[in-house]
Amino acid sequence: MLPNGTADHKYASVAVMRGVIAVAFGACVLGVGSGSCVSERYVIGTYNRGVDGGVPIDGGMPGTLNCSAANSCRFAADLDHSGVSNLGDVLQLASASVKATLRYRGESARIDGWAGDPGPTLTRGLGEPQPALPTPFTDATGAVGLSVIDTSYAAGPSESGAVGADDFVVEVVLRAAVDAPVFARTGAAFGWSANINSAGALGLDLSDGTRTVRVSSEALTARAWYHCLFWISRAAGGRADCNGRAGALADLSGLGTLGPTGSFAVGGAGGADAVQLALFQVFRVAPGTLGPEADWQTMTRRRFAAVTGVFPSFADGSALPAPDLRNSVALLDMQHLAGGPRRLFLVGPDWARIVCRTDAAGARDCGYLAEPERNRVVDPSPSASTWMASEVTVTVGDVLFVDGEQRMDTLIPSAAAARHAVIRRGTFSPNRQALSFFAHAGAGRLLGASVGSLGTAVYDVTSGQVVSMPANVAASIEDWGNGIFRCAYSVVPGGGALDYRVMLLNDAGAEMFAGDGMTIGAHIWGMQLDLEQGYPRSLLPANAQAAERLTFVGNDGNLPKGGVVSLQLRVLMPPGRRQNDQAIININKGGSFDDQIQMFVVATAGTFRFWGLAATMNRWTCDHPATAVDGLRHSLAAEWGGPAARFWVDGVSVNRNTSNLTPALFTMDRIDVAFSLHSSTYLQGLVAGLQVTGS
């Protein structure tokens, strides 16, 4: 119910605000009897972001919903909030909490200086930094691009940041480059400095006046975002852990003092591309207090999960998600403002994609996006040799792509009265598929797309509208801001070799026309063909992208052992037909199909289903008539255990689908988010606000 008493079930439980949120749901009892619906009221309270067993994560930000053992909550994962604010300025070691001695946040950088909190204010150097750059986070995290010509920021001699002969930890959140200095604190022959070498490895060089020891990460992908921690222990050694992965241990035995004083320098002359810094901070501790090297990765993984937004808000059991979330880079799309431009960010391996989008009603929401293993089918650039240019000249353009890079090609129609197109011929799949591309208008405003002989869909890339589409074709257009639109053409093409075309049209929509051979018709890039689905998936950054698996432990307190269990979350899915069922949440035993509780999207109907299986037998199935693929965010809630199972979508209950309801299944040990190993494919959409309560 809204505050004025009127009903608005669609967004009842997705509002995020401080205080207690009361949500009205209808309840439907499944089991013996008619399955009639009654009115009930759930209360969603206020939990703390960055809480592990009720303790804030390393000085993390407080959040908005109450989830604690006191109110029978077992597990909560927001999955809608990422950023440096989740890290805080406190490092929680096994022995003590340590506060940062230096902390520089990207959003604090200005063209004329960079204030530390703590740390001396750094003044501008001879280079020209680029402050206020966007980042792949939901909070106010900003980044500063470091000059590749000379020092970006500098400070005179100071004891601030000195480490002497102590142990210490350096933490950075950055967009990687190649052959680039990052920062340095040096004096005479002493000090420490961070840089990325020509192989792409981020290293910390430690100099005691006699020798220099390098603690190095694995090679980082250029222009991808990473979170790295350098652990520097005189006794245990030095190690660079990036994106939660442990690096190689360097021997630091015999390393002397790194100097009592020194000067700061951030950035400096380097390669052609610039490092972007969102955070760097230093934690100084007494020798021997960093703990054993075996414990470092756990702390690294905690902080990596926190900054990327997948550390649970509350966990009665294990809080860390399972390692190896995704063994490849990926693109994360972020819409920082409702209705504002969307931007793509390249992120490194295992970086969970907490993304923000606006739904079909104009409401912005954020959530976790997972996708299966995927491979490029067509080259993203129309200038690639695999695309044939027919009566068009394809050249490098100057329009920036949605990742801020200069990627878009121009299509210039010839002076011949002909069809002007780029064409890819191939045999891919007889099932439903989606051809998509990003476009920016040139002198023309209309583009066409076709597959085989199935007809041309026409797109207006000035107004952002689908002008027309053939029968049996689903065409769509998305506004990504700054004049760039993503156009999609979804169809079941049948078998055999086909021509995939993107065409320039004249303002009357005609395919046959004459250009002048000089004027740019449109700017195009990001061509993609997605197979076995009726909509375009996220843009691939490389030829292969590994599958994503966000999994939490379920059988050590995160799931109740008995009684009634309540589950709630919200989803936002783009419109479009599904080729296969798609899992929203799957609670299972060892990843098996035989024992599971799952919410998922039914492919044939595009609706929601909630079921429970035990020993391969179906114990309940609850189908909801609400559409899951209308482009709107939806609030889902379920309850099972004891004599009844219940399922709500946007506060509206459904009738009983089957009987044969048995006591709840409490042997489950895995919580899989947005995927299932066996019963369904990956969800095409966002999941957020996951919470499990029960005794």
Side-chain angles (χ1 to χ4, degrees):
M1 304 294 287
L2 295 177
N4 62 8
T6 60
D8 187 354
H9 296 303
K10 186 169 292 294
Y11 302 117
S13 72
V14 296
V16 179
M17 59 189 75
R18 297 198 179 277
V20 174
I21 305 171
V23 181
F25 289 107
C28 186
V29 178
L30 308 182
V32 179
S34 64
S36 60
C37 297
V38 298
S39 177
E40 294 191 355
R41 191 170 183 83
Y42 277 37
V43 175
I44 305 174
T46 58
Y47 58 78
N48 292 326
R49 272 193 228 285
V51 173
D52 178 15
V55 179
I57 302 294
D58 302 337
M61 292 282 289
T64 52
L65 292 179
N66 185 15
C67 189
S68 67
N71 60 15
S72 299
C73 189
R74 297 296 179 182
F75 181 84
D78 300 2
L79 305 179
D80 64 0
H81 180 78
S82 62
V84 166
S85 59
N86 285 349
L87 292 176
D89 60 353
V90 175
L91 179 66
Q92 184 65 53
L93 301 175
S95 58
S97 297
V98 181
K99 197 163 180 71
T101 57
L102 286 181
R103 177 175 166 88
Y104 290 88
R105 295 176 295 118
E107 60 268 26
S108 299
R110 303 291 183 267
I111 190 70
D112 59 347
W114 195 353
D117 55 345
T121 296
L122 308 179
T123 59
R124 179 176 168 179
L126 297 177
E128 184 172 342
Q130 294 181 286
L133 296 179
T135 63
F137 300 109
T138 67
D139 68 1
T141 297
V144 55
L146 305 184
S147 170
V148 298
I149 304 300
D150 211 321
T151 300
S152 296
Y153 300 100
S158 170
E159 292 186 2
S160 181
V163 294
D166 286 345
D167 293 345
F168 64 103
V169 176
V170 177
E171 182 172 34
V172 293
V173 178
L174 52 71
R175 192 197 77 154
V178 175
D179 196 19
V182 183
F183 52 81
R185 187 185 189 282
T186 57
F190 300 87
W192 47 268
S193 61
N195 60 81
I196 302 176
N197 65 19
S198 59
L202 175 65
L204 192 67
D205 293 328
L206 311 173
S207 301
D208 63 4
T210 302
R211 64 185 180 123
T212 298
V213 180
R214 184 173 177 85
V215 178
S216 181
S217 76
E218 63 181 2
L220 309 182
T221 299
R223 301 189 178 186
W225 282 88
Y226 287 86
H227 165 268
C228 298
L229 279 167
F230 289 95
W231 299 88
I232 307 301
S233 168
R234 308 301 176 124
R239 204 177 74 192
D241 295 351
C242 289
N243 285 11
R245 301 180 175 195
L249 192 66
D251 183 8
L252 302 183
S253 59
L255 182 68
T257 180
L258 303 184
T261 61
S263 300
F264 282 108
V266 179
D273 192 22
V275 169
Q276 293 181 15
L277 267 181
L279 172 75
F280 77 89
Q281 55 186 350
V282 179
F283 303 91
R284 182 180 181 180
V285 301
T289 57
L290 278 185
E293 183 258 344
D295 293 345
W296 296 347
Q297 190 183 12
T298 298
M299 289 179 273
T300 298
R301 287 178 55 208
R302 285 167 57 95
R303 295 185 74 83
F304 177 55
V307 75
T308 57
V310 291
F311 200 97
S313 309
F314 181 87
D316 202 41
S318 302
L320 273 175
D324 303 322
L325 183 143
R326 182 193 63 252
N327 190 28
S328 71
V329 296
L331 286 168
L332 180 156
D333 69 272
M334 182 62 64
Q335 190 172 35
H336 287 103
L337 299 173
R342 290 170 64 176
R343 185 174 176 120
L344 288 174
F345 296 90
L346 185 64
V347 294
D350 295 336
W351 188 294
R353 291 188 289 177
I354 303 300
V355 309
C356 298
R357 298 174 179 171
T358 300
D359 78 354
R364 176 180 172 273
D365 206 356
C366 306
Y368 167 69
L369 172 66
E371 290 183 312
E373 180 181 0
R374 300 165 59 212
N375 296 287
R376 268 186 182 153
V377 179
V378 299
D379 197 286
S381 174
S383 62
S385 60
T386 54
W387 286 93
M388 179 180 70
S390 176
E391 297 296 341
V392 294
T393 300
V394 183
T395 63
V396 176
D398 58 1
V399 172
L400 295 181
F401 190 55
V402 292
D403 62 354
E405 306 290 343
Q406 190 169 315
R407 300 186 190 278
M408 301 196 80
D409 291 330
T410 64
L411 301 187
I412 301 172
S414 72
R419 289 183 174 89
H420 310 275
V422 289
I423 305 166
R424 174 69 160 89
R425 174 164 290 182
T427 302
F428 299 112
S429 170
N431 298 321
R432 181 166 289 278
Q433 50 189 254
L435 172 68
S436 60
F437 55 93
F438 289 82
H440 186 286
R445 62 183 181 87
L446 299 182
L447 293 173
S450 68
V451 175
S453 60
L454 297 173
T456 300
V458 178
Y459 308 87
D460 188 325
V461 292
T462 299
S463 64
Q465 295 180 332
V466 175
V467 177
S468 64
M469 71 180 83
N472 301 318
V473 170
S476 63
I477 189 168
E478 285 184 328
D479 186 355
W480 280 68
N482 300 318
I484 297 179
F485 297 89
R486 191 181 194 190
C487 305
Y489 181 105
S490 173
V491 70
V492 180
L498 297 168
D499 284 343
Y500 296 80
R501 298 173 181 264
V502 175
M503 295 167 281
L504 297 174
L505 309 177
N506 68 12
D507 285 349
E511 297 180 17
M512 296 286 294
F513 71 96
D516 61 10
M518 297 181 293
T519 303
I520 295 172
H523 306 263
I524 305 289
W525 204 79
M527 324 283 274
Q528 186 159 291
L529 183 62
D530 287 288
L531 305 179
E532 313 303 326
Q533 295 296 348
Y535 45 81
R537 291 190 181 271
S538 67
L539 188 65
L540 288 167
N543 289 334
Q545 180 174 293
E548 285 157 295
R549 293 181 178 177
L550 178 59
T551 297
F552 297 93
V553 175
N555 61 345
D556 64 353
N558 290 336
L559 293 173
K561 298 297 184 183
V564 176
V565 184
S566 296
L567 171 68
Q568 64 185 45
L569 50 84
R570 65 182 190 272
V571 295
L572 168 58
M573 290 169 282
R577 293 181 59 180
R578 270 57 180 165
Q579 187 80 20
N580 307 101
D581 294 346
Q582 296 185 350
I584 299 170
I585 187 78
N586 187 288
I587 299 172
N588 60 74
K589 184 177 181 180
S592 73
F593 176 88
D594 299 347
D595 299 283
Q596 61 171 288
I597 297 169
Q598 179 172 262
M599 285 183 184
F600 59 102
V601 178
V602 182
T604 53
T607 54
F608 295 101
R609 177 174 292 170
F610 171 56
W611 75 8
L613 306 180
T616 72
M617 292 184 61
N618 185 296
R619 305 301 178 173
W620 72 80
T621 297
C622 197
D623 282 305
H624 200 287
T627 178
V629 292
D630 53 5
L632 298 170
R633 61 181 177 182
H634 294 277
S635 171
L636 308 183
E639 185 177 275
W640 71 93
R646 307 174 181 184
F647 185 38
W648 298 265
V649 177
D650 301 322
V652 178
S653 61
V654 298
N655 292 326
R656 172 174 59 88
N657 293 90
T658 64
S659 57
N660 191 30
L661 184 64
T662 61
L665 305 88
F666 295 112
T667 61
M668 306 302 182
D669 58 11
R670 286 171 58 106
I671 303 172
D672 293 333
V673 181
F675 81 99
S676 168
L677 288 176
H678 299 293
S679 60
S680 302
T681 60
Y682 283 70
L683 181 71
Q684 173 64 16
L686 313 185
V687 177
L690 173 62
Q691 186 167 322
V692 181
T693 58
S695 58

